[in-house]
Amino acid sequence: MTSKFAKAAASIALAFTMVASLAACSSDPLAEAYREGSNNGFIAADGFRVVEIPEEERTEPVEFDAVLDNGETVTSDDYLGEVLVVNFWYAACAPCRLEAPELEAAHQEFIDDEVEFLGVNLYDGAEQSQAFADTYGITYPSALTTVDGSIKLAFAGKTPLNAVPVTLVLDQEGRVAVRIIGVVESASILETLVRDTLDES
């Protein structure tokens, strides 16, 4: 009798395990692995850091040309007079996946303001970049360094691009006003930093 009960209990436990496994598969495994502390599959930033740069200490405006994943081109001149949020990412980056909805939420918050968002995809082609945007609901464009690497060079001296994700806030003159190294875990954090930069004008 005891053996029958033990077998039944084991069968029930196995069923629950299979259900849990299926549920886990329905989420993003790479993002979940990152949540659990795994550094596999991406270049990790050394912790979350925010650096706000006073106006008088900002360097020259960043000048760049870029080819977007939709085939269009943009330059830094297109964003002058606006605050520009630039996010460096790539599709296989687990923390990039984790922060994507927060970035889009912040983007939507400023949709009627003089604020623009631009992704910079460091490794992927147009198809991968657009598939990522579709999956995570990203509505702002991304530049492709695989098509034109000059945008990466333009920002190379402004922030460590070997630690991804990195998000920069450029002021209305095109100067780096804020550096965010690591995952933007809350849209409100980015919104506050963008609003502070926008209010400078």
Side-chain angles (χ1 to χ4, degrees):
M1 183 69 71
T2 304
S3 177
K4 288 182 180 178
F5 281 122
K7 286 181 180 178
S11 296
I12 292 169
L14 179 60
F16 276 117
T17 301
M18 290 176 68
V19 169
S21 297
L22 288 171
C25 289
S26 66
S27 62
D28 187 329
L30 200 57
E32 289 303 316
Y34 173 76
R35 284 185 202 273
E36 294 167 7
S38 171
N39 287 343
N40 294 328
F42 65 93
I43 302 169
D46 183 21
F48 178 76
R49 296 195 302 277
V50 175
V51 179
E52 297 183 75
I53 305 169
E55 290 186 72
E56 64 275 10
E57 295 179 17
R58 294 173 193 168
T59 58
E60 293 299 309
V62 182
E63 297 181 356
F64 63 85
D65 298 280
V67 177
L68 304 179
D69 57 11
N70 61 10
E72 297 179 4
T73 59
V74 294
T75 73
S76 48
D77 288 343
D78 295 326
Y79 299 104
L80 288 180
E82 300 177 303
V83 170
L84 176 62
V85 178
V86 183
N87 175 253
F88 295 86
W89 68 282
Y90 59 96
C93 161
C96 300
R97 297 179 178 193
L98 194 63
E99 72 173 3
E102 303 302 323
L103 291 169
E104 177 59 25
H107 172 237
Q108 292 299 323
E109 178 68 20
F110 294 105
I111 205 75
D112 295 322
D113 296 302
E114 294 181 333
V115 178
E116 296 288 342
F117 279 61
L118 176 66
V120 178
N121 187 306
L122 297 173
Y123 302 117
D124 303 316
E127 187 174 341
Q128 285 176 293
S129 182
Q130 291 179 331
F132 183 98
D134 290 341
T135 299
Y136 294 97
I138 303 299
T139 60
Y140 55 84
S142 279
L144 301 175
T145 65
T146 54
V147 177
D148 184 351
S150 64
I151 188 171
K152 184 176 179 180
L153 292 175
F155 283 98
K158 309 298 181 183
T159 192
L161 298 183
N162 62 326
V164 179
V166 171
T167 304
L168 303 178
V169 179
L170 275 57
D171 65 19
Q172 292 169 316
E173 296 179 28
R175 303 174 300 173
V176 177
V178 180
R179 292 188 189 92
I180 304 172
I181 300 175
V183 181
V184 176
E185 294 186 342
S186 170
S188 62
I189 294 172
L190 180 56
E191 288 166 15
T192 298
L193 295 166
V194 169
R195 194 168 287 110
D196 288 347
T197 306
L198 189 61
D199 287 347
E200 290 174 356
S201 61

